[in-house]
Amino acid sequence: MINQLVFTVEIEAKSETIWNALWDDQAYRQWTAVFFEGSYAVSDGWIEGSIVHFLAPGENGIYSRIEKHSPNRYIEFKHIGNVINGEEQPLDEETRKWSGATESYQLIQGERSYTLKVEIDVMDEHLESMSDAFPKALEVIKNNCIG
């Protein structure tokens, strides 16, 4: 079963700074290391409609389509399937259980800060680990925006 989790963190920084702390290659590797050390993304410039590979060392992970992207404001991914050894895999019975799940990142402007809001669809078996790890990842992002 898929559950939707929502996480937020308030960050006193410009929207561009926060966006870079999310999607710049080095910054992305830092905050996603909370989930799996060595994680990285292969994108075509984070362009709406393009495919992104979210990978761990060994070129294994998932591939997703960028459904919507408004730079420095909002991005939404629709997860499609698995990547093994750098190759997109056809959907199988197990993958179909979560294919179509979404993940979005939104910056909501406040008076002197932005709230980074993350909404993510998570399978039951990942609920506990994601609930534990995401707040830690958001703290890494926030810390990367300071100074």
Side-chain angles (χ1 to χ4, degrees), residues 46-95:
W46 305 101
I47 298 166
E48 188 170 298
S50 68
I51 298 294
V52 179
H53 288 191
F54 296 103
L55 303 171
E59 296 186 279
N60 297 322
I62 65 171
Y63 66 100
S64 309
R65 179 176 23 272
I66 300 175
E67 293 291 297
K68 297 176 187 163
H69 187 197
S70 177
N72 304 319
R73 274 200 31 231
Y74 184 83
I75 193 165
E76 180 181 318
F77 303 97
K78 180 183 276 186
H79 301 308
I80 300 169
N82 288 314
V83 174
I84 299 176
N85 296 321
E87 297 292 323
E88 294 175 8
Q89 302 299 300
L91 299 185
D92 57 22
E93 190 176 324
E94 194 60 33
T95 308

Side-chain angles (χ1 to χ4, degrees), residues 5-138:
L5 297 178
V6 178
F7 302 97
T8 61
V9 64
E10 191 173 324
I11 304 173
E12 289 188 37
K14 293 180 179 176
S15 61
E16 296 86 356
T17 301
I18 301 167
W19 213 246
N20 285 335
L22 280 164
W23 309 118
D24 170 77
D25 181 54
Q26 284 306 113
Y28 178 85
R29 290 171 187 260
Q30 288 177 342
W31 72 266
T32 58
V34 170
F35 303 99
F36 195 91
E37 190 67 43
S39 294
Y40 63 103
V42 178
S43 77
D44 191 15
W46 305 101
I47 298 166
E48 188 170 298
S50 68
I51 298 294
V52 179
H53 288 191
F54 296 103
L55 303 171
E59 296 186 279
N60 297 322
I62 65 171
Y63 66 100
S64 309
R65 179 176 23 272
I66 300 175
E67 293 291 297
K68 297 176 187 163
H69 187 197
S70 177
N72 304 319
R73 274 200 31 231
Y74 184 83
I75 193 165
E76 180 181 318
F77 303 97
K78 180 183 276 186
H79 301 308
I80 300 169
N82 288 314
V83 174
I84 299 176
N85 296 321
E87 297 292 323
E88 294 175 8
Q89 302 299 300
L91 299 185
D92 57 22
E93 190 176 324
E94 194 60 33
T95 308
R96 282 188 180 88
K97 292 178 183 176
W98 57 263
S99 185
T102 62
E103 183 172 345
S104 67
Y105 297 78
Q106 179 181 15
L107 290 180
I108 303 163
Q109 188 168 3
E111 202 170 299
R112 292 180 28 201
S113 63
Y114 283 89
T115 298
L116 171 57
K117 178 181 179 183
V118 180
E119 295 182 49
I120 182 168
D121 294 335
V122 178
M123 295 288 292
D124 285 340
E125 59 264 29
H126 302 296
L127 196 55
E128 189 176 332
S129 64
M130 291 300 268
S131 295
D132 180 57
F134 238 108
K136 295 173 185 172
L138 292 180

